[in-house]
Amino acid sequence: MVYKYSVLTIPQIRQLHIELTTRCNARCPICIRNYRGYEYNSGYPVTELSLQDIQHICQPSFLRQIDRVLLNGNLGDFGLAHEGPEIVKYLVDQGVDLVEISTNGSMRTPEWWASLANPSVVIGFALDGLADTHSLYRQDTDWNRIIENATAYIRAGGRAVWRFIPFDHNRHQEEDCRRLARELGFEQFENIYDGRDRGPVYTRTGEFSHWIGTPGDNPAPIKNLLEHHLTWFDPKTVKNPKDRAELNLTCEHKRQRELYIAADGTVYPCCYLGFYPTTMYHQGNEQLAQLVKENNALHYSLEHCVEWFNQVEESWSRASIANGRTFQCVNNCGH
């Protein structure tokens, strides 16, 4: 297949995906921040974007073209960002139609969450079951506290979404969760399928605890989650069925006309290619390390930060991942 490159320019961007912080209060198994299984943040740097940083990167003239901002990220949770409400207000005041927040919601006070209520703001609360099952995956979070925070936000006029990951241990509760969401005033209930429904769980001291889902072909306890991923999902050893000569790929960056901005100010086409920190275990990082150039929007213009994007798209015309086709593009946006 011959590709005609048509890399997006900054004036074409309509959506931003921003990670405000790398901080998170939760210890969810299978999350990339927990690849060592139990060590907080797996040793990743703790950093965040301030209101001043956002104002520098996302100036009013730029935000006038933006329809939607997603405040989420690869490592952190919005609720731990020190200036989260101030940043939301700035984005809304500049005319962004929709600011969508994803959070586990198990932090801050009900009054803090209520202060975010605005017709242009939607908050998705991660609630994976009822009180007895939720924290089997969302470890170190408090279901009752999340419900209290979400309820305060809804009563203040906030728009809320109940986000539910179906696991073997909570599927039987989905209808009860849907019923409760309606009773509390959530405007939507979403099932989330993101590949986190199977994997090992560890205690705070690093001991194997149990499996989420079925162990599959490797039932023995694994020393840590990084070893688990290196063993099962190494792109050098595991054949990706999407990596075909006639590549069928729909780029989310181009479809959504989106930029991803990490908590240190670095800019990427999407969160799948978010190469921050460089120590993050991420399949295909050895490829990205050769491509990413001068992409920190705190030091360079957005136009300069995206100049390396064309190399990503050019890689799609190569014969395979082994020949330099970008792994994350094939894995996440291939069909």
Side-chain angles (χ1 to χ4, degrees), residues 45 64 93 107 113 176 270 292:
R64 280 195 288 271
D93 286 349
M107 73 288 281
W113 289 102
D176 289 335
C270 61
V292 179

Side-chain angles (χ1 to χ4, degrees), residues 5 7 269 291 306-316:
Y5 306 120
V7 176
L291 301 180
V306 303
E307 288 180 358
W308 62 276
F309 287 10
N310 67 315
Q311 298 177 69
V312 174
E313 190 165 347
E314 287 171 0
S315 80
W316 301 343

Side-chain angles (χ1 to χ4, degrees), residues 29-255:
I30 322 170
C31 174
I32 60 173
R33 63 183 292 115
N34 296 322
Y35 273 149
R36 290 192 175 93
Y38 59 93
E39 180 183 345
Y40 175 78
N41 211 31
S42 289
Y44 296 148
V46 176
T47 188
E48 70 177 71
L49 293 169
S50 66
L51 173 61
Q52 184 176 358
D53 292 335
I54 293 295
Q55 291 171 331
H56 174 81
I57 297 171
C58 304
Q59 298 184 15
S61 58
F62 175 54
L63 288 177
R64 280 195 288 271
Q65 73 188 53
I66 300 301
D67 301 322
R68 176 175 179 256
V69 176
L70 172 61
L71 297 178
N72 194 7
N74 285 335
L75 295 173
D77 192 293
F78 167 84
L80 272 295
H82 287 104
E83 296 184 285
E86 293 81 2
I87 290 170
V88 171
K89 183 178 185 303
Y90 171 71
L91 296 171
V92 171
D93 286 349
Q94 298 309 315
V96 174
D97 293 333
L98 177 64
V99 177
E100 185 175 341
I101 297 166
S102 292
T103 180
N104 66 63
S106 183
M107 73 288 281
R108 306 288 187 179
T109 64
E111 294 75 21
W112 189 91
W113 289 102
S115 72
L116 292 164
N118 186 290
S120 296
V121 177
V122 173
I123 300 181
F125 291 91
L127 285 157
D128 298 324
L130 299 176
D132 59 332
T133 62
H134 167 80
S135 60
L136 291 176
Y137 177 73
R138 301 281 171 182
Q139 294 190 81
D140 292 356
T141 69
D142 185 326
W143 186 88
N144 290 298
R145 187 174 185 181
I146 301 166
I147 292 295
E148 184 181 8
N149 289 338
T151 300
Y153 168 71
I154 293 168
R155 287 176 177 170
R159 303 170 59 195
V161 176
W162 183 306
R163 292 199 169 126
F164 177 93
I165 300 179
F167 295 101
D168 291 344
H169 61 256
N170 69 1
R171 294 178 195 276
H172 65 288
Q173 295 179 336
E174 181 174 338
E175 287 308 311
D176 289 335
C177 289
R178 287 181 179 273
R179 187 179 306 109
L180 180 59
R182 289 192 296 270
E183 292 173 358
L184 295 178
F186 284 82
E187 68 174 36
Q188 193 173 348
F189 186 100
E190 291 182 357
N191 277 345
I192 304 297
Y193 299 98
D194 61 1
R196 297 187 186 184
D197 59 350
R198 186 179 71 167
V201 182
Y202 300 87
T203 66
R204 280 194 167 276
T205 58
E207 299 171 348
F208 174 80
S209 171
H210 62 279
W211 280 90
I212 291 286
T214 56
D217 297 330
N218 196 348
I222 299 172
K223 184 172 62 176
N224 57 51
L225 196 55
L226 175 57
E227 179 182 306
H228 164 73
H229 278 257
L230 288 173
T231 302
W232 285 16
F233 304 111
D234 186 347
K236 295 178 181 177
T237 59
V238 177
K239 178 63 178 175
N240 193 309
K242 304 174 185 178
D243 190 26
R244 300 177 179 180
E246 291 294 317
L247 179 62
N248 184 6
L249 183 150
T250 303
C251 175
E252 283 297 301
H253 155 69
K254 296 179 71 174
R255 187 178 71 84

Side-chain angles (χ1 to χ4, degrees), residues 282-303:
H282 211 182
Q283 297 158 312
N285 269 7
E286 67 282 354
Q287 296 172 314
L288 293 177
Q290 306 303 314
L291 301 180
V292 179
K293 307 291 182 186
E294 297 181 342
N295 68 323
N296 195 311
L298 296 174
H299 306 299
Y300 303 98
S301 69
L302 284 174
E303 289 78 7

